[in-house]
């Protein structure tokens, strides 16, 4: 959907469980290729005008996300990986601890990952911080430490150009200038 008009953009695909959507393709993690790769547990499929194809397979990773129409990001096994829509790895960077996708700027130049630890049943957050990364270099440009713990997870958003970043929850909200 166009964020200003809420009208559909791009092509229509029949993919029923997308993990991320661009103007020209859909990513999914619900299709497996265990017959071809029996030792792998993570599969990223890409559906576009050519149909469904395997984009990535490996031993771990959270759902893949589009950073822009040509670049996909996958987090797992202590790494951030970016790849193009044909599965070629563009960059890899090491990270410490488990992380989840926390947003991307509209221009695709910056993205955020949430790092956290939780315990208990129901789970309780022990700590949470959000790191903002440059898409081209995978270098962190900012680290936001959440001091007022939310019940489940903080929210975050970028300005369209990636210059401003907001993070927070019902207890606390902060705006950052990332110049």
């Amino acid at each position: 959907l166009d964020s200003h008009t809420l009208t559909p953009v791009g092509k229509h695909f029949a993919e029923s469980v997308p993990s991320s959507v661009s103007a020209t393709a859909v990513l999914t993690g619900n299709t497996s290729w265990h017959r071809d790769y029996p030792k792998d547990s993570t599969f990223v499929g890409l559906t576009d005008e050519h149909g469904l194809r395997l984009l990535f397979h490996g031993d771990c990773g959270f759902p893949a996300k589009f950073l822009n129409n040509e670049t996909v990001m996958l987090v797992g096994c202590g790494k951030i990986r970016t790849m193009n829509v044909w599965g070629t790895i563009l960059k890899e960077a090491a990270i410490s601890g488990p992380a989840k996708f926390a947003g991307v700027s509209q221009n695709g130049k910056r993205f955020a990952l949430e790092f956290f630890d939780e315990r208990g049943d129901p789970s309780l957050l022990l700590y949470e911080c959000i790191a903002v990364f440059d898409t081209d270099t995978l270098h962190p440009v900012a680290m936001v430490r959440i001091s007022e713990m939310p019940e489940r997870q903080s929210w975050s958003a970028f300005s369209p150009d990636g210059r401003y970043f907001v993070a927070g929850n019902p207890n606390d909200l902060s705006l950052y200038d990332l110049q």
Side-chain angles (χ1 to χ4, degrees):
L1 294 178
D2 179 282
S3 65
H4 299 288
T5 65
L6 300 180
T7 57
V9 296
K11 301 189 181 300
H12 174 75
F13 297 110
E15 184 57 55
S16 62
V17 187
S19 64
S20 190
V21 178
S22 77
T24 58
V26 174
L27 296 173
T28 184
N30 74 328
T31 306
S32 69
W33 282 266
H34 284 290
R35 181 178 297 152
D36 298 323
Y37 306 99
K39 295 182 183 201
D40 290 341
S41 59
T42 298
F43 299 96
V44 177
L46 183 136
T47 303
D48 62 9
E49 61 193 14
H50 305 289
L52 174 67
R53 68 178 180 279
L54 179 63
L55 184 66
F56 175 85
H57 62 92
D59 53 355
C60 62
F62 284 101
K65 300 292 182 182
F66 278 106
L67 298 179
N68 56 46
N69 288 329
E70 297 83 35
T71 308
V72 174
M73 188 262 312
L74 183 68
V75 177
C77 297
K79 294 180 188 176
I80 305 169
R81 292 182 181 99
T82 57
M83 61 190 84
N84 64 21
V85 293
W86 297 103
T88 302
I89 302 289
L90 303 173
K91 286 266 188 208
E92 282 189 357
I95 57 172
S96 58
K100 291 194 291 190
F101 181 73
V104 62
S105 62
Q106 217 170 29
N107 65 5
K109 295 192 178 290
R110 291 188 170 153
F111 66 93
L113 296 177
E114 176 204 16
F115 294 84
F116 63 97
D117 192 14
E118 59 189 355
R119 295 281 189 267
D121 186 16
S123 64
L124 178 69
L125 276 176
L126 301 176
Y127 79 86
E128 180 184 42
C129 62
I130 300 173
V132 176
F133 293 87
D134 177 87
T135 297
D136 292 332
T137 64
L138 297 185
H139 291 165
V141 282
M143 179 70 74
V144 175
R145 298 194 189 286
I146 307 300
S147 57
E148 292 288 327
M149 287 296 116
E151 186 175 322
R152 295 291 307 142
Q153 174 182 347
S154 291
W155 307 310
S156 61
F158 284 93
S159 63
D161 64 0
R163 178 175 174 175
Y164 297 100
F165 181 73
V166 65
N169 56 65
N171 302 324
D172 184 40
L173 184 66
S174 299
L175 175 66
Y176 301 91
D177 185 345
L178 303 175
Q179 286 190 343

